Amino acid sequence: MLLDFESIVDKYDMKISGVIHVGAHHGQEHKRYISHGINSVVYFEPVKRIFDILVGNIKNIHENTNNNCVTTLYNMALGNENGEID
């Protein structure tokens, strides 16, 4: 994560209920989101092999923690043009 999530949340006393995370990678931040009471997260990760790891990691987190975070995962990139690229 490029920005220190905890520092920003604490500094501005933010009450965040949802996150749209573009470029999710392996979902390393998911436990942090849950610990801050975030109950809705949407992840976008375009690289299929990385996305497959993300799916497993999120599933594992949800199976092993008591949370009500609704998490949606998309295996796609976001951009200003429609189409497919390698």
Side-chain angles (χ1 to χ4, degrees), residues 39-50:
N39 57 23
S40 179
V41 181
V42 178
Y43 287 109
F44 292 89
E45 175 52 54
V47 179
K48 177 66 172 142
R49 65 182 170 75
I50 302 298

Side-chain angles (χ1 to χ4, degrees), residues 7 11 44 67 70:
S7 294
K11 180 178 181 178
F44 292 89
N67 69 79
V70 176

Side-chain angles (χ1 to χ4, degrees), residues 25-26 43-56 73-76:
H25 197 245
H26 293 159
Y43 287 109
F44 292 89
E45 175 52 54
V47 179
K48 177 66 172 142
R49 65 182 170 75
I50 302 298
F51 180 80
D52 292 342
I53 295 169
L54 171 67
V55 170
L73 309 171
Y74 292 99
N75 182 208
M76 66 176 62

Side-chain angles (χ1 to χ4, degrees), residues 5-14 36:
F5 180 75
E6 282 86 3
S7 294
I8 294 170
V9 169
D10 292 342
K11 180 178 181 178
Y12 297 104
D13 192 30
M14 300 172 80
H36 279 83

Side-chain angles (χ1 to χ4, degrees), residues 1 3-4 15 18 27 31 35-36 43 63 65-66 85-86:
M1 178 174 282
L3 303 172
D4 184 2
K15 307 294 185 236
K31 287 182 183 178
S35 72
H36 279 83
Y43 287 109
E63 288 175 349
T65 60
N66 184 17
I85 61 171
D86 290 326

Side-chain angles (χ1 to χ4, degrees), residues 1-6 19 21-36 38 41 43 54 57-58 61 69:
M1 178 174 282
L2 295 175
L3 303 172
D4 184 2
F5 180 75
E6 282 86 3
V19 170
H21 191 128
V22 179
H25 197 245
H26 293 159
Q28 298 93 318
E29 298 83 5
H30 198 64
K31 287 182 183 178
R32 285 187 212 139
Y33 294 156
I34 290 171
S35 72
H36 279 83
I38 293 171
V41 181
Y43 287 109
L54 171 67
N57 288 346
I58 298 301
I61 290 168
C69 183

